[in-house]
Amino acid sequence: MVVHHHWRPGGVRKVVELTLPAIRRAAHRDLKVTLLSGSPASEHPITANLPAEVAIHSVPACDYFSEQSIPPETIACRIRKALESIIPSEQADRTLIWFHNPGLARNGLLNREVMDFCEKSGTSLILHHHDFWCSGRWARWQELERCEWGTLEKAAGISLGRGGAVQVTLNLADFKSLDEAMGGQVFHLANPVVRPSKISSRRICAVQKWVNQELPNSKPIWVCPTRFLRRKNLLEAILLTRWLRPDAVFVTTSGMASGDELPYARMIQAAAEKGNWNVRFGLLDKPDAPKVDELLRVAEVALLTSVQEGFGMGFVEASAAGIPLIARAMPDVMPDLEALGFQFPHLYPDVYIDPALLDISAEFERQARLLLMAKENLPSVLASRFQPGTRDFEHPIAFSRLTWQGQVEVLNHPSKQAWEACRSLNPVLEKIHTSMDSLESSPWPKSPIQSPSRYAKSFWKIASVAKHQSMTDPAAVLLAQSRLIDRGLDPAAFFPVQVEM
């Protein structure tokens, strides 16, 4: 079996590390596993996270297309040679490729080469989708055009498959969109969730000591377990920290950012420095840093303010740590987590802002320019389908619907003044605020949930279908993509922080 994905911090990496041991055990036979990644070897997981028998290959040509400078033909050739060297022809029909996140099309050349290889060699293929280019990630279209896939038909084939592959989705919303069009070749496979083993009190003390050395003022910490990603809506997490616990330090676990997220990361860092905000980005980036689950156990609160998630692994991590979680409820995520038995007592629908905290005229103009830019960045064949409408700035507006400039403007108000102006607009947050001394932790589910062993059994059932999967109907693939596009162009899916560069 060959597994492909990037070893950057995130849900994909956690899932692979959690499931590979169980998948190998459930195979009931010798199973050779190779991980193929475009990430540098320095970003690969430590050996202890994976079985010793797993081989890891770093092939730079498999990295994000936007972060490579060599010609497309050279990239494709190197990927082709890597696949041929890793999967000998005599083993091809007994090999399964588990391809993570092809629908995001971060490297369409990789998608094409993997699909071509499987068609020619008889290798089975599972396309495991975490995100999609047509779910608001419109910047990917320019990359598809550069690779000469600038039509909806070609984009559908290269991101959702044009050969005998099966599709796997993380959440029920994506499953529904694909299954309505592609039928029996689509499967829903919720991520496995495992509560980490208990950490000794001695280790907790050591972690607390480490944190105190890094943050010497001995203030409570509120943690967002993430790196810099626009969809994480980090300025909202900072706002909640300042409103609900003014003396707390807001921290992120990672300070990393991919190339197209760098402008967002630099904007936040600059605003934090200029405003002298009580924040620390990338607390765990040092070599001697504790693990994420260890840091969470010494944190006072975990925060999740994302506008978009595939599964919501951060929710699981906070529940495993046994600390309070304050989180934005996401319609595409909560049904899956609730089905797994999770309950979150401190969910809020949105953070509503009093218009008096904004220069309404300036924000209106920014939003108008942004909508125009968003429309221009869409594939021309989709521009007419994008009708988000104009924001009403005469009434309270959700913080998540502001431009980053508007978000910073709100943050630059004295936090106490801003909170008093918005308190009555946010009854859920007011309830949290009044019970800060006794916030309920997010409980770990008591009912049976998706364990790695159960996940592995489901995985091998899907793999058996992949081995005998017939060719995909191009019309069905195009229809599936169209359903995803409709969701991505829905006004409710438009968030300024998602599209700004």
Side-chain angles (χ1 to χ4, degrees):
M1 182 172 72
V2 175
V3 185
H4 173 268
H5 88 93
H6 293 85
W7 285 109
R8 292 180 172 89
V12 187
R13 172 170 169 171
K14 293 185 183 76
V15 170
V16 173
E17 291 178 354
L18 273 176
T19 58
L20 269 186
I23 287 172
R24 293 185 78 252
R25 287 193 298 270
H28 300 302
R29 61 180 182 274
D30 290 337
L31 182 68
K32 177 184 177 183
V33 179
T34 301
L35 295 181
L36 176 61
S37 171
S39 303
S42 60
E43 294 180 7
H44 291 166
I46 59 174
T47 307
N49 291 346
L50 294 167
E53 299 83 356
V54 175
I56 302 177
H57 287 265
S58 179
V59 179
C62 295
D63 200 358
Y64 295 159
F65 179 78
S66 61
E67 298 187 12
Q68 300 188 57
S69 57
I70 57 178
E73 317 85 66
T74 305
I75 295 173
C77 182
R78 291 178 180 177
I79 294 170
R80 199 176 310 130
K81 289 181 177 178
L83 291 169
E84 291 171 352
S85 65
I86 291 171
I87 308 173
S89 57
E90 65 274 12
Q91 297 178 6
D93 62 350
R94 293 182 286 116
T95 299
L96 168 70
I97 294 181
W98 185 17
F99 191 175
H100 283 269
N101 228 7
L104 190 54
R106 288 306 309 257
N107 187 338
L109 294 168
L110 174 64
N111 289 24
R112 184 192 69 188
E113 293 303 321
V114 168
M115 293 174 191
D116 283 351
F117 180 86
C118 291
E119 287 179 32
K120 294 174 183 177
S121 66
T123 299
S124 302
L125 177 60
I126 293 176
L127 300 178
H128 198 139
H129 301 292
H130 299 253
D131 300 287
F132 300 92
W133 75 267
C134 48
S135 295
R137 312 297 185 84
W138 309 116
R140 304 281 77 78
W141 180 258
Q142 297 174 3
E143 296 172 23
L144 288 168
E145 285 186 318
R146 286 179 60 193
C147 297
E148 300 183 354
W149 296 310
T151 69
L152 292 179
E153 292 79 6
K154 290 180 179 179
I158 210 65
S159 59
L160 293 177
R162 47 184 170 71
V166 296
Q167 319 279 331
V168 173
T169 71
L170 294 187
N171 63 54
L172 289 166
D174 290 338
F175 170 76
K176 183 178 180 181
S177 294
L178 297 187
D179 188 58
E180 287 175 348
M182 302 173 74
Q185 68 186 88
V186 183
F187 298 86
H188 170 239
L189 186 58
N191 282 344
V193 290
V194 176
R195 189 169 193 172
S197 56
K198 290 185 177 180
I199 301 174
S200 69
S201 57
R202 187 175 182 178
R203 177 57 184 163
I204 292 293
C205 289
V207 173
Q208 186 65 66
K209 182 178 179 181
W210 185 92
V211 170
N212 291 342
Q213 290 173 343
E214 293 295 315
L215 305 169
N217 292 330
S218 299
K219 294 181 178 179
I221 60 173
W222 284 32
V223 179
C224 186
T226 185
R227 59 191 176 103
F228 282 109
L229 292 166
R230 289 193 298 273
R231 63 182 173 84
K232 295 294 184 178
N233 191 27
L234 287 176
L235 291 176
E236 184 164 302
I238 296 171
L239 180 72
L240 289 178
T241 305
R242 295 175 65 182
W243 278 5
L244 302 176
R245 192 69 149 108
D247 59 336
V249 182
F250 172 80
V251 305
T252 64
T253 49
S254 172
M256 294 178 62
S258 57
D260 56 349
E261 299 282 1
L262 278 176
Y264 176 72
R266 289 167 178 161
M267 173 276 296
I268 290 183
Q269 290 167 329
E273 183 176 350
K274 183 177 180 180
N276 196 29
W277 299 347
N278 195 14
V279 301
R280 173 71 175 272
F281 303 116
L283 181 62
L284 302 187
D285 285 347
K286 291 186 175 181
D288 65 336
K291 297 178 181 178
V292 173
D293 63 301
E294 293 176 330
L295 178 67
L296 285 171
R297 278 167 172 76
V298 300
E300 183 176 80
V301 164
L303 286 162
L304 292 171
T305 52
S306 302
V307 296
Q308 183 184 37
E309 291 284 351
F311 176 74
M313 189 60 75
F315 287 82
V316 175
E317 291 175 326
S319 291
I323 63 173
L325 168 68
I326 300 172
R328 187 175 180 278
M330 290 174 284
D332 286 351
V333 170
M334 304 323 299
D336 288 85
L337 292 172
E338 290 168 0
L340 292 173
F342 286 95
Q343 298 176 13
F344 304 102
H346 309 303
L347 296 179
Y348 65 91
D350 249 316
V351 178
Y352 291 97
I353 301 300
D354 185 331
L357 297 178
L358 289 163
D359 182 336
I360 297 300
S361 177
E363 178 67 11
F364 183 89
E365 291 181 5
R366 285 194 296 266
Q367 296 250 354
R369 289 197 303 269
L370 190 64
L371 289 171
L372 179 61
M373 183 172 64
K375 197 175 184 91
E376 290 175 346
N377 287 340
L378 282 172
S380 57
V381 292
L382 299 181
S384 63
R385 292 163 66 175
F386 181 59
Q387 303 292 337
T390 306
R391 301 285 181 214
D392 177 8
F393 293 102
E394 297 302 318
H395 297 89
I397 183 171
F399 188 83
S400 61
R401 304 289 180 174
L402 296 174
T403 62
W404 70 259
Q405 294 96 328
Q407 291 185 338
V408 170
E409 186 178 351
V410 173
L411 278 161
N412 283 337
H413 285 277
S415 58
K416 186 176 182 179
Q417 172 191 331
W419 168 241
E420 291 302 325
C422 302
R423 177 196 288 261
S424 63
L425 306 176
N426 297 280
V428 175
L429 296 181
E430 185 171 17
K431 182 179 179 181
I432 293 172
H433 186 268
T434 57
S435 57
M436 274 305 305
D437 293 335
S438 57
L439 283 185
E440 182 183 353
S441 298
S442 299
W444 189 257
K446 295 180 180 179
S447 58
I449 54 178
Q450 178 81 309
S451 65
S453 59
R454 182 176 295 181
Y455 183 98
K457 290 178 182 178
S458 299
F459 176 88
W460 284 117
K461 288 180 181 178
I462 295 170
S464 66
V465 176
K467 187 172 180 61
H468 304 288
Q469 181 61 42
S470 58
M471 295 296 287
T472 307
D473 179 5
V477 175
L478 186 61
L479 178 59
Q481 179 179 260
S482 183
R483 293 188 184 282
L484 293 170
I485 288 171
D486 287 342
R487 287 171 56 204
L489 292 178
D490 189 297
F494 181 78
F495 294 91
V497 291
Q498 284 272 74
V499 297
E500 288 177 298
M501 300 297 290

